[in-house]
Amino acid sequence: MADTDRLLDVPLGKRQIQAFYGAAAPVYDAATVEFEARAKALALDAMHRKPGERYLEVAVGTGMSIVEQVKRTGPAGIVGIDLTPGMLSLTRERLNAAGASSVPLMLADARFLPFRNGTFDCLFNSYMLDLIPAEDIGQIVSEFRRVLKSGGRIVLANLTEGEGADVAFSEDWKARFLKDPIQVGGCRPVLAGSFLRAAGFTEVQRTYCGGTGSWPTEVVSARAPGPT
Ligand SMILES: C[S@@+](CC[C@H](N)C(=O)[O-])C[C@H]1O[C@@H](n2cnc3c(N)ncnc32)[C@H](O)[C@@H]1O
């Protein structure tokens, strides 16, 4: 079975996602941090951003990863977007508290990124593709490629199919999703590699991160085609 055939569809539209994540924003960290921290750290490590490189984080959420990237490599060249105003407000507060008020944030949809072709050296996106309707994932990944420079790097972290001892956890999650997707934040397991390859990305590498205390997550890195 192809990866794309295993994908459950998400019935939530843009307005429902904004409403859910707007309401969830104040409690989002408390509900997720411990289950996502290991995979996010792995994903940021895989990014290997150098100071000054043009860096886009799509779907910043409450801002934990973008602030961590600022701490690692400095604020110059970093930009963040999200679909949900309440999430952007929390990210703004967090960036200000970290002394990085200069980092631009924009309200935008990953389907239509408001940037010119080849703007960024690096693109980071975590726990967003898993709540995107199947029919839109290809368009979003093509947008990621469009805004990256030739040879630019992408790192994704997505809720994914559990492996080994995590299979039962994933099956239970999917059963809950099919019953009422909003109960699990509209998220279901994704395997992003085939979407990246279809959009022309090269050097696609996937690391599985799961086990006790971690939601089954894939960290996928790749490179936009063209010279490095
Ligand atoms: C599960 S949260 C993850 C937030 C953050 N990336 C993290 O890992 O903590 C999903 C985020 O994706 C954002 N989002 C959903 N659909 C989006 C889209 N089409 N474009 C941009 N952001 C989107 C939501 O507003 C929300 O902040």
Side-chain angles (χ1 to χ4, degrees), residues 21 28 40 59 61 82-84 87 108-111 126-127 131:
Y21 282 98
Y28 184 81
K40 282 182 183 169
D82 201 284
L83 189 67
T84 304
M87 287 294 198
D109 188 332
R111 295 169 185 83
S126 62
Y127 297 102
L131 58 88

Side-chain angles (χ1 to χ4, degrees), residues 24-221:
V27 294
Y28 184 81
D29 289 344
T32 62
V33 164
E34 66 175 298
F35 307 109
E36 298 178 350
R38 209 150 44 83
K40 282 182 183 169
L42 203 67
L44 283 171
D45 289 347
M47 190 84 257
H48 299 301
R49 178 187 188 242
K50 297 180 199 70
E53 281 188 319
R54 296 276 290 153
Y55 177 96
L56 175 64
E57 180 166 340
V58 176
V60 290
T62 64
M64 292 190 80
S65 295
I66 198 168
V67 166
E68 176 59 24
Q69 187 58 262
V70 164
K71 287 181 181 161
R72 289 179 180 209
T73 55
I78 294 185
V79 180
I81 72 146
D82 201 284
L83 189 67
T84 304
M87 287 294 198
L88 285 172
S89 303
L90 291 179
T91 296
R92 173 54 65 210
E93 281 173 23
R94 202 163 234 150
L95 284 166
N96 291 351
S101 55
S102 60
V103 171
L105 295 176
M106 299 169 71
L107 184 66
D109 188 332
R111 295 169 185 83
F112 310 101
L113 292 174
F115 305 104
R116 293 191 178 163
N117 297 357
T119 302
F120 295 99
D121 300 288
C122 325
L123 190 150
F124 184 86
N125 176 235
S126 62
Y127 297 102
M128 184 201 80
L129 287 183
D130 40 54
L131 58 88
I132 297 294
E135 64 183 16
D136 293 344
I137 294 181
Q139 179 184 342
I140 287 177
V141 171
S142 295
E143 277 293 89
F144 290 170
R145 177 184 163 179
R146 183 185 66 75
V147 300
L148 277 169
K149 296 176 183 173
S150 292
R153 285 124 46 218
I154 184 169
V155 177
L156 308 172
N158 308 307
L159 186 75
T160 197
E161 295 286 348
E163 296 181 7
D166 296 336
V167 169
F169 178 93
S170 278
E171 293 307 313
D172 179 60
W173 183 293
K174 287 188 281 185
R176 287 191 287 142
F177 174 89
L178 287 169
K179 210 165 156 194
D180 184 4
I182 210 73
Q183 290 303 316
V184 286
C187 302
R188 82 320 201 181
V190 161
L191 295 154
S194 50
F195 290 97
L196 289 172
R197 286 187 200 92
F201 281 94
T202 62
E203 301 176 35
V204 179
Q205 292 189 353
R206 179 178 189 269
T207 304
Y208 178 75
C209 178
T212 309
S214 188
W215 283 333
T217 299
E218 61 171 13
V219 174
V220 186
S221 62

